Amino acid sequence: DAGITQSPRHKVTETGTPVTLRCHQTENHRYMYWYRQDPGHGLRLIHYSYGVKDTDKGEVSDGYSVSRSKTEDFLLTLESATSSQTSVYFCAISDIRDNYEQYFGPGTRLTVT
Amino acid sequence: AQSVTQPDIHITVSEGASLELRCNYSYGATPYLFWYVQSPGQGLQLLLKYFSGDTLVQGIKGFEAEFKRSQSSFNLRKPSVHWSDAAEYFCAVGPQQTGANNLFFGTGTRLTVIP
C-alpha cells in the first residue's frame, strides 16, 4: 500500500470553528489531492497540488483552503466549518513514476454539529 | 463538461454469478479511465485502468473492463463473483496529459453478494 496517512481519522466540531485536516505521504509523489465523498455524489475534487506551494482549485473549493509547504504534507483547512461540510475527506497522491495513478489515503470522517 | 454516469445505484448478485457494472462517460478528449473499489470504512483501491492500446483491460481480483469508444462506456465485469467482492465500485475519468490528473468520479454502485 502507498504510504499515505490522514489525521485525524475522525473529528466532530461545531459550526463556525476552524478545522485542519492533514495528509502525509512517504512516497515523494509530486501531486496531491483532496476529495470529499458524500452519498449520491461519489468523490468530488476540492483542491489539488502540483508541487510545493503550488495549488489549484477543484470542483467544490468554496469554503476550503489548502497549503503545501513541503512535499510530504498537504493540509486542508475549513476556515469556519458549516454543517454542509460534514463529509468523509480523502487525500490522494500521484506521480509520473506510476503513470499518474492516484493512490488514496484511509479517509477522515468529519462531522460538523 | 466531463461527467461519469453509473446508472445502477445498487446491484445484488448471487455468489458465483457473473457481474457487469455499467459506466458511461462524457469527455472532450480521449480519456484515461479507472475503476476503483471501496470496502466499508476504507479508502479506494484501484482495480484497473485504461490508458491506451488493447480495449480489454485486466485488473486485480479477477476483474476486467472493456473500453468502447463508440458507446462512451467502460463497463466492469467479473465472471464469477465472490462474497468478498461486496463493496462499492466507482468509475472515474481523467485527462490524457502529463501532470495532475484530476479525476471525475461516478456516484458509485454498491454491490451486495448473497449466498
Side-chain angles (χ1 to χ4, degrees), chain A residues 31 33 37 40 100-102, chain B residues 36 38 46 49 90 99 101 107:
Chain A
Y31 302 97
Y33 311 81
Q37 182 178 31
Y100 303 104
E101 172 184 329
Q102 289 193 17
Chain B
Y36 284 87
Q38 183 181 32
L46 182 70
K49 60 193 177 190
F90 292 93
N101 57 334
T107 52

Side-chain angles (χ1 to χ4, degrees), chain A residues 3-109:
Chain A
I4 311 171
T5 56
Q6 293 184 231
S7 58
R9 293 293 313 280
H10 301 271
K11 186 171 182 66
V12 180
T13 192
E14 293 184 348
T15 298
T17 60
V19 176
T20 296
L21 308 183
R22 180 182 184 234
C23 177
H24 179 78
Q25 60 144 330
T26 58
E27 305 296 320
N28 200 35
H29 277 39
R30 177 179 177 183
Y31 302 97
M32 298 185 76
Y33 311 81
W34 276 109
Y35 292 90
R36 59 178 290 174
Q37 182 178 31
D38 304 290
H41 290 278
L43 279 80
R44 293 177 292 175
L45 183 67
I46 304 171
H47 281 280
Y48 67 97
S49 169
Y50 46 97
V52 174
K53 299 191 189 307
D54 292 323
T55 65
D56 206 347
K57 296 179 180 180
E59 180 185 358
V60 289
S61 60
D62 288 348
Y64 301 95
S65 63
V66 290
S67 65
R68 191 168 178 201
S69 59
K70 46 187 178 178
T71 300
E72 56 266 36
D73 289 326
F74 192 32
L75 304 180
L76 177 71
T77 297
L78 291 66
E79 301 290 348
S80 177
T82 67
S83 59
S84 65
Q85 294 175 311
T86 293
S87 187
V88 181
Y89 292 85
F90 286 98
C91 174
I93 63 174
S94 71
D95 197 271
I96 185 174
R97 291 170 287 161
D98 293 314
N99 288 318
Y100 303 104
E101 172 184 329
Q102 289 193 17
Y103 298 94
F104 284 81
T108 294
R109 181 173 295 276

